Amino acid sequence: MEVDNMTDMELVHILWDYMRLNQKLEKCDCIIGLGCMDLTVAEVVADLYLAGYADKIIFSGGYGKKTKIWSEPEAEKFAKVAIDKGVPKEKIYIENKSINTSENFQFVKAMIEEERMDVHSCIFVGRPYGEKRIATYFKKLCQNIKE
């Protein structure tokens, strides 16, 4: 591929397309929102819940590098966004100690096991450019749960 004649946006689209998995959405047991500074993630999780893709939500995220400035952990801030969109509070579980993607998965997996949640399939929602990284962590840490 010759990149000399491509615009910056064309190059960004190539990278963006490479990082995305374009997986088909299917109903599942749980929607898991991975914390970050982008509140759109919480909005997408809420929209998926309200559209009937799952009957429970887990938000995962403590204080990351960029969200240390917030007055509350990412997961709690995300939960407020979802509740404001109409998700019942009792359908939301919060993991608010993780500070990176690896810990998101470790702590969510531990929560599912400790709470004896009936979770065999899930949708993970994060920033779109992180799909491959999220899928890799998921396969490593959550082998008994269908993605």
Side-chain angles (χ1 to χ4, degrees), residues 62-82:
Y63 291 103
K65 290 177 186 175
K66 294 181 180 177
T67 57
K68 287 188 255 189
I69 61 170
W70 288 357
S71 60
E72 59 193 338
E74 297 162 354
E76 293 174 24
K77 196 166 193 91
F78 278 23
K80 287 181 179 176
V81 169

Side-chain angles (χ1 to χ4, degrees), residues 44-96:
V44 170
V45 169
D47 290 344
L48 290 170
Y49 172 87
L50 295 170
Y53 279 96
D55 65 354
K56 62 183 143 296
I57 292 171
I58 299 174
F59 284 119
S60 177
Y63 291 103
K65 290 177 186 175
K66 294 181 180 177
T67 57
K68 287 188 255 189
I69 61 170
W70 288 357
S71 60
E72 59 193 338
E74 297 162 354
E76 293 174 24
K77 196 166 193 91
F78 278 23
K80 287 181 179 176
V81 169
I83 291 166
D84 287 347
K85 286 196 75 141
V87 175
K89 183 178 182 177
E90 62 274 7
K91 296 295 186 172
I92 301 173
Y93 296 84
I94 294 175
E95 178 289 300
N96 62 8

